[in-house]
Amino acid sequence: MTHVAELVIRNGTIVDGLGGRTYVGDVAVRDGLIVEVGTVSGDAEHVIDAAGLLVTPGFVDLHTHYDGQSIWSDRLNPSSSHGVTTALMGNCGVGFAPCRIADHEVLVDVMAGVEDIPGVVMTDGLPWTWETFPQFMDAVDARRRDIDVAAFLPHSPLRVYVMGQRGVDREPATPADLARMRVLAQEAAEAGALGFSSSRLVTHRTRTGSQIPSYDAAYDEILEIGRGIADGGGGLIQFVPDLPDGAYQPVLQQIFDAATDAGLPVTFTLLIGNAGEPVWQDALTMVEKANDSGAEITAQVFPRPIGLMVGLDLSINPFVLYPSYREIAGLPLAERVAEMRKPDVRQRILADQPSIVPTNPIAYLSQSWEWTYPLGDDADYEPDPSESIAARARARGVSAVEEAYDRLLDDDGHAILLDALANFRDNSLDTVGDLLRRDDVVLGLGDGGAHYGMICDSSFPTYVLTHWARDRASGRFSVAAAVRELTSVPARVAGLDDRGRIAVGYKADLNVIDHQNLRLHKPVITYDLPAGGRRLDQTADGYVATIVAGEIIAENGKPTAARPGRLVRGRRPAPA
């Protein structure tokens, strides 16, 4: 080497991110880039002895909602606690820009309902120093943080910005509206948006219960926004479909056609039903047909059950719809637990029936007893069917409601139940594993920065490396294959080809991991959001070092003072 390296990782088991064979070697870093791989001689300012450890590229999460957290915080945890070094935000067509002052409350209402971010957190944490999307990007760019972020232009704010109350009311866009959306989409792409996002999921509702502005937007609207992104240099369409009449086809075909007409790739959320007709197979048939015709479409799949975490101190629990429970729901947790342990209170609540009408139908899903499981310290996301609330109730000879009641009182009311509402076909992740092996499927849906009191899914990279690449009894992935799915594959889908590989010239985003001792902890509740807001956090053992642009942002699970994370503006080519 002609210059002293800033960092050398020595004697690690290098996992290149492309799925190739692992090998023992060194990695040298200078000026934020990988400058040498193999046997590195010479001096270095800092050396990490990685003997017996994995050295991987930093992980890329395609689906997060750090739009707010990237403004009010310099750490994007939990994601950065699980090896993620690049996070794409602005998914699901929701976000905070563009937005006029008069519409702040509209977007807060949307984000509170769709993404379970308390309104007071946004009111306290957001300075609203922007109106346009480029101004929002500048605000993100001005903040230093631990990891990189990139952003989609979200559909709902764009619609409200152009159409005002007509957009909120989901009226059809006029030709003038469409022309304006196209111009603003071009402007967003030129400012660095990686594309645009939209949603038609029926459970994506505002805090007050209305469908979000993008819910039933017409084909022409999707097309003109896509054309605007193409005018600005191109990008990716991210989409969350609904399941009208149990079928994907009508909604997805509209998006696929618009993307093809605009010349853009698509990634969309794919859910696997726990039972019933396997309608996801129809979606994959559509993907195959479209890709055979020259499209670029990937289905985005989560590697463990999609669902809810429910508990007495979380956003939802099975009794929030019961009037008798609502009488004590406002009490501090310890007092509420004491009340619920009283025999007369227990009897009254268990004898009650759900009658509170929720603003979001997702609240009803917290009583899916066959798919609900206590989440213990080992954070088992593929539990045995015998552990479900329904099965445990049958074994005890009690009702499922009684079993759920008693389990929620465990750990002095801090117990968490996992509602595995999708991706758990026949009480197994076998189908998920089969899908993840497909070339037209990509890992995603960490949802970091959202659903603060309902899920904690941004820990999924650790789950992939432990459950899928080490512990599962059957259907395991090799470490090389698992790392590929966490790195180069999502980087390619996002258009960020300068990362996700360990090779000379690539961005020095890296993880040093003690794979044998990697362990995912149970989620815990913290109160570190603006205004003391509550959220679920989840940590892990085994991350010896996480490195962003050559700087160590965490050592042995503890964050350092380094804040090298930047806003990624636009797609990035691979090094020459």
Side-chain angles (χ1 to χ4, degrees), residues 272-286:
I272 297 99
N274 289 351
E277 293 297 317
V279 295
W280 73 88
Q281 293 178 354
D282 296 334
L284 292 173
T285 299
M286 293 175 64

Side-chain angles (χ1 to χ4, degrees), residues 210-242:
S210 301
Q211 303 289 171
I212 60 176
S214 72
Y215 177 69
D216 47 10
Y219 170 84
D220 286 348
E221 188 170 327
I222 300 293
L223 175 59
E224 287 305 301
I225 299 172
R227 285 174 171 167
I229 294 295
D231 294 340
L236 176 67
I237 297 177
Q238 183 273 331
F239 184 66
V240 185
D242 201 8

Side-chain angles (χ1 to χ4, degrees), residues 102-120:
D103 293 322
H104 288 176
E105 284 303 312
V106 171
L107 298 195
V108 167
D109 188 41
V110 169
M111 292 296 278
V114 175
E115 304 301 343
D116 189 35
I117 303 174
V120 66

Side-chain angles (χ1 to χ4, degrees), residues 257-485:
D257 290 346
T260 299
D261 288 348
L264 301 180
V266 175
T267 186
F268 70 96
T269 301
L270 181 68
L271 303 181
I272 297 99
N274 289 351
E277 293 297 317
V279 295
W280 73 88
Q281 293 178 354
D282 296 334
L284 292 173
T285 299
M286 293 175 64
V287 171
E288 292 170 355
K289 182 178 178 181
N291 287 343
D292 287 344
S293 299
E296 295 181 58
I297 299 172
T298 52
Q300 203 169 131
V301 171
F302 192 58
R304 65 190 194 206
I306 290 176
L308 308 172
M309 290 187 184
V310 299
L312 296 180
D313 208 22
L314 297 177
S315 297
I316 289 177
N317 73 66
F319 301 101
V320 294
L321 306 180
Y322 288 42
S324 52
Y325 173 79
R326 293 294 287 264
E327 293 175 5
I328 62 172
L331 294 175
L333 180 63
E335 295 179 30
R336 202 173 348 135
V337 168
E339 284 295 308
M340 292 178 69
R341 284 176 171 159
K342 294 178 179 178
D344 60 324
V345 174
R346 183 180 191 274
Q347 182 178 5
R348 185 168 68 252
I349 292 176
L350 292 176
D352 205 352
Q353 295 292 325
S355 60
I356 303 296
V357 178
T359 58
N360 194 320
I362 201 169
Y364 288 117
L365 301 178
S366 64
Q367 298 196 25
S368 303
W369 306 124
E370 295 288 353
W371 312 105
T372 301
Y373 303 83
L375 190 66
D377 290 336
D378 59 350
D380 184 1
Y381 293 93
E382 191 174 15
D384 189 272
S386 64
E387 292 300 313
S388 74
I389 291 297
R392 294 168 65 101
R394 288 190 290 268
R396 284 181 59 196
V398 300
S399 69
V401 177
E402 289 177 271
E403 175 66 15
Y405 190 101
D406 294 340
R407 296 292 66 76
L408 286 170
L409 292 174
D410 289 341
D411 193 18
D412 293 324
H414 295 285
I416 295 175
L417 305 182
L418 171 67
D419 274 359
L421 301 177
N423 283 25
F424 206 40
R425 185 77 176 177
D426 300 322
N427 298 91
S428 168
L429 291 175
D430 286 347
T431 300
V432 169
D434 292 341
L435 293 179
L436 292 177
R437 289 175 168 84
R438 294 175 58 112
D439 290 337
D440 53 12
V441 168
V442 62
L443 271 174
L445 306 177
D447 261 340
H451 304 292
Y452 282 127
M454 201 176 293
I455 65 172
C456 197
D457 285 346
S458 49
S459 62
F460 78 86
T462 303
Y463 186 73
V464 169
L465 290 175
T466 53
H467 187 73
W468 283 110
R470 191 190 65 193
D471 298 338
R472 201 169 190 264
S474 62
R476 285 194 298 270
F477 286 70
S478 69
V479 169
V483 169
R484 175 180 178 270
E485 299 305 313

